[in-house]
Amino acid sequence: MKVLAVLALVAAAAPFLGAAGQGDGAGPLPFAVGAAPAGCDIGQGEWVRDEAARPWYQEWECPYIQPQLTCQAHGRPDKGYQNWRWQPRGCSLPSFNATMMLEMLRGKRMLFVGDSLNRGQYVSLLCLLHRAIPDGAKSFETVDSLSIFRAKDYDATIEFYWAPMLAESNSDDAVVHRVDDRVIRGAPMDKHSRFWQGAHILVFNSYLWWTAGDKIKILRGADNDLSKDIVEMKAAEAYRLVLHQVVRWLERNADPKNSRAFFVTASPTHTDSSAWGDETEGGNCYNQTTPIGDASYWGSTSREILRVTEEVLATSRVPIGVVNITQLSEYRRDGHTQTYKKQWAEPTPEQRADPRSYADCTHWCLPGVADTWNELLYWKLFFPSNDQAL
């Protein structure tokens, strides 16, 4: 029955597909059921308003969304940010199909590893999938840094592991991680990577925490005494060191015949409205209700970090799929949580007098932009390009 169900779902998508995407010449990539049209770059396109097809789900019906992302429950007056669909330029791909994804995940373990933005994408995926599973056939639990969603009838788990800098750091507590002076361990990565073992699909991200300053402290060696052998490095080069460690771990531990790895690129912020031509003093994402229409727009996202990401992943001897969310998310100044979220601390009277002063222009409301990130991941996982090994 499982094979017949998957075949029926793939057949329904057939008008969009070519032969299954290839890996390094050794045959189709694991999980691939077709391929994107030649020359299709899913990261380039435009946002199309589509009230009939978006949102995929309602905020109130998904129990997994953290209160920091429930914008409607916290009083956001508009809903238009939920109604935008990403249309890749010059190509069409199958719509996200929860039943097909669950069938393809049968007996598998999927793991997201990263920061709060990666966790937002993880929660978005749970919201996209959970309605296809009966209430008694799913469960969710969080223990320390690991969250696990179980689809019991499929013998599948979808998990999130908190590791905002991928390497071990003094920000590894999943709840209390706000520190002024960040220290990371360059190697080994055993504390975190032991949780990655055995995953059939790995989805990494790491960007935001590397941009807090120009320098970062690195603890060398395995000694747990953070006062010993600490050196300071340029943040981009420390990031390069850590990303190399991740790639080397994948080369040693990932089996490209039955597993896939992905890296999600930088999620932009919208903290300065002058970047899109609004010179209002102190302007940012607050009260923004429409995307940026300028196709050439680029905000403050670090091109240096993106370049390092590209260079390091290109050295990998195993395929690592790049899910490029950056440019499409650059346009979405309207999608952030702004002030419509659970606050870590009660805003002061001065802040309430100027909501821009405490607006969150980093994280994203759900449903919203992160659902599109999962569409891209879905396409990359099941319909990879034949002309791109990664």
Side-chain angles (χ1 to χ4, degrees), residues 42-43 47 54 56-57 69 84-86 96 101 110 112 115-125 128 160 203-208 262-270 301 321-332 335-336 361-381:
I42 59 177
W47 289 100
R54 299 292 183 276
W56 288 100
Y57 55 89
L69 306 180
W84 295 93
R85 171 175 56 81
W86 180 249
F96 184 96
M101 185 163 190
M110 182 176 189
F112 288 75
D115 59 18
S116 58
L117 293 156
N118 194 256
R119 181 169 56 199
Q121 182 175 356
Y122 165 70
V123 170
S124 159
L125 184 60
L128 289 165
F160 170 77
V203 183
F204 295 97
N205 95 314
S206 192
Y207 167 74
L208 184 68
F262 297 91
F263 194 91
V264 180
T265 62
S267 171
T269 60
H270 293 86
T301 305
V322 177
V323 183
N324 188 353
I325 67 166
T326 306
Q327 182 64 78
L328 66 89
S329 304
E330 286 280 4
Y331 305 133
R332 295 303 306 275
H336 294 291
C361 297
T362 297
H363 298 92
W364 307 88
C365 301
L366 287 178
V369 174
D371 301 323
T372 295
W373 300 352
N374 279 315
E375 282 191 278
L376 267 64
L377 176 60
Y378 178 91
W379 292 334
K380 284 276 188 176
L381 178 59

Side-chain angles (χ1 to χ4, degrees), residues 223-242:
D223 194 327
N224 287 324
D225 184 351
L226 294 183
S227 68
K228 294 182 179 179
D229 203 13
I230 292 178
V231 297
E232 197 170 59
M233 292 181 67
K234 191 172 182 289
E237 292 310 307
Y239 172 74
R240 182 188 297 273
L241 182 154
V242 168

Side-chain angles (χ1 to χ4, degrees), residues 126-331:
L126 300 189
C127 295
L128 289 165
L129 293 175
H130 89 103
R131 285 191 302 178
I133 308 170
D135 286 343
K138 57 195 171 189
S139 66
F140 180 81
E141 64 176 326
T142 297
V143 179
D144 297 328
S145 294
L146 186 66
S147 297
I148 305 174
F149 175 86
R150 289 184 173 86
K152 299 175 184 178
D153 291 346
Y154 295 90
D155 187 28
T157 64
I158 305 170
E159 307 174 26
F160 170 77
Y161 182 77
W162 171 264
M165 307 190 83
L166 300 181
E168 184 180 349
S169 76
N170 62 346
S171 298
D172 284 345
D173 189 297
V175 178
V176 183
H177 46 251
R178 295 187 174 191
V179 295
D180 295 327
D181 195 18
R182 291 190 179 122
V183 180
I184 66 170
R185 190 189 304 282
M189 303 188 74
D190 302 4
K191 177 186 174 183
H192 293 332
S193 62
R194 61 194 174 97
F195 288 94
W196 312 346
Q197 292 279 0
H200 298 90
I201 302 169
L202 280 160
V203 183
F204 295 97
N205 95 314
S206 192
Y207 167 74
L208 184 68
W209 289 50
W210 298 95
T211 62
D214 293 333
K215 303 281 188 179
I216 199 161
K217 291 179 178 177
I218 305 286
L219 173 67
R220 298 190 293 195
D223 194 327
N224 287 324
D225 184 351
L226 294 183
S227 68
K228 294 182 179 179
D229 203 13
I230 292 178
V231 297
E232 197 170 59
M233 292 181 67
K234 191 172 182 289
E237 292 310 307
Y239 172 74
R240 182 188 297 273
L241 182 154
V242 168
L243 201 54
H244 267 298
Q245 293 289 330
V246 173
V247 169
R248 299 291 89 83
W249 183 89
L250 286 168
E251 290 174 342
R252 292 190 301 268
N253 294 277
D255 181 355
K257 294 181 180 179
N258 61 26
S259 66
R260 296 277 295 280
F262 297 91
F263 194 91
V264 180
T265 62
S267 171
T269 60
H270 293 86
T271 57
D272 181 5
S273 64
S274 66
W276 56 84
D278 179 355
E279 299 295 338
T280 303
E281 185 177 354
N284 54 24
C285 72
Y286 182 71
N287 265 351
Q288 298 296 329
T289 58
T290 59
I292 295 167
D294 179 4
S296 65
Y297 174 79
W298 187 271
S300 60
T301 305
S302 169
R303 293 186 184 274
E304 183 179 21
I305 293 290
L306 293 178
R307 176 178 54 79
V308 171
T309 302
E310 182 178 2
E311 290 173 354
V312 174
L313 296 185
T315 68
S316 176
R317 296 191 296 271
V318 297
I320 302 175
V322 177
V323 183
N324 188 353
I325 67 166
T326 306
Q327 182 64 78
L328 66 89
S329 304
E330 286 280 4
Y331 305 133

